[in-house]
């Protein structure tokens, strides 16, 4: 059956997002967006995630002018503190020590940009993770095994990070992994993409 919608592009370098989008069984291209992920002064975590998801989609629009472009971003929050990607072991250990015994809320945004029509739609999907009380040894062992330096909040839940968790709560488990597929399917349907 021929495809009746514009081709899909995932504006992300994340292998996990690629795997998640692949679950929908549709062909797509991948584009590495060049986006500054620095938060604006006093920017709320939800606004940051939505802005970056859209910026990633828009960064691909010039190269893909007649496509449905998917951008996604995730921000982890503990209390009032935003935890981005740690980048290195020292910051990851600090993030996990701060999060020990706390609820970490992942705000995951997905944006769908129709570069042909200019239509843009987005959704924000929260997911809560209650972390166990973590010892220094727990943290060091986890960091040795996972090296989650590119993960928001240093939590790679699809790997050993699940052992750090006490409970998880949310409407869409794929949101925790970085691409909320339930919300994305709705956005795609709104653009005429036939999904089961």
């Amino acid at each position: 059956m021929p495809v009746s919608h514009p081709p899909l592009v995932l504006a992300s370098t994340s292998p996990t997002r690629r795997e998640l989008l692949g679950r929908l069984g549709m062909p797509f291209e991948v584009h590495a967006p060049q986006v500054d992920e620095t938060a604006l002064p006093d920017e709320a975590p939800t606004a940051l995630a939505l802005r970056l998801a859209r910026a990633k989609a828009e960064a691909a629009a010039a190269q893909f002018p007649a496509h449905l472009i998917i951008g996604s971003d995730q921000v982890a929050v503990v209390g009032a503190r935003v935890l981005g990607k740690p980048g290195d072991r020292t910051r990851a250990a600090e993030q996990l020590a701060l999060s020990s015994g706390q609820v970490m809320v992942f705000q995951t945004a997905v944006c769908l940009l129709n570069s042909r029509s200019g239509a843009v739609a987005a959704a924000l999907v929260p997911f809560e993770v209650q972390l166990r009380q973590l010892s220094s040894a727990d943290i060091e062992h986890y960091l040795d095994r996972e090296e989650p330096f590119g993960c928001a909040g240093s939590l790679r839940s699809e790997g050993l990070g699940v052992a750090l968790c006490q409970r998880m709560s949310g409407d869409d488990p794929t949101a925790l992994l970085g691409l909320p597929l339930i919300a994305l399917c709705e956005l795609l349907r709104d653009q005429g993409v036939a999904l089961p």
Side-chain angles (χ1 to χ4, degrees):
M1 180 177 224
V3 174
S4 61
H5 59 80
L8 297 180
V9 174
L10 176 63
S12 176
T13 58
S14 164
T16 302
R17 287 191 179 114
R18 267 179 270 166
E19 185 273 325
L20 288 168
L21 185 55
R23 292 181 188 182
L24 299 183
M26 296 182 294
F28 63 93
E29 294 184 63
V30 175
H31 174 76
Q34 301 300 314
V35 172
D36 180 357
E37 298 190 18
T38 306
L40 301 174
D42 300 318
E43 187 173 26
T46 53
L48 173 62
L50 285 164
R51 179 177 62 81
L52 292 179
R54 182 172 180 154
K56 289 175 182 180
E58 289 174 341
Q63 188 172 336
F64 300 96
H67 296 70
L68 293 175
I69 305 170
I70 301 160
S72 188
D73 194 75
Q74 184 178 72
V75 176
V77 184
V78 174
R81 187 161 176 186
V82 174
L83 304 179
K85 298 172 185 170
D88 61 40
R89 186 183 183 100
T90 300
R91 288 198 58 215
E94 289 169 358
Q95 286 186 348
L96 292 168
L98 172 79
S99 305
S100 174
Q102 303 295 312
V103 173
M104 187 181 292
V105 180
F106 289 86
Q107 299 287 356
T108 307
V110 60
C111 176
L112 184 64
L113 167 65
N114 185 326
S115 58
R116 179 184 295 156
S117 70
V120 180
L124 185 74
V125 182
F127 201 94
E128 289 188 359
V129 176
Q130 171 73 54
L131 272 71
R132 295 185 301 103
Q133 289 290 338
L134 305 175
S135 68
S136 295
D138 290 335
I139 292 170
E140 293 303 317
H141 177 71
Y142 167 69
L143 294 178
D144 286 343
R145 291 272 306 274
E146 282 294 338
E147 299 183 354
F149 311 134
C151 298
S154 304
L155 187 71
R156 181 172 284 145
S157 62
E158 65 273 25
L160 187 61
V162 74
L164 307 181
C165 302
Q166 186 172 326
R167 68 169 184 82
M168 297 180 178
S169 176
D171 292 334
D172 183 351
T174 60
L176 178 59
L177 301 178
L179 184 64
L181 292 181
I182 294 173
L184 177 59
C185 286
E186 287 303 309
L187 297 177
L188 289 169
R189 284 187 192 102
D190 289 346
Q191 285 294 314
V193 178
L195 290 163

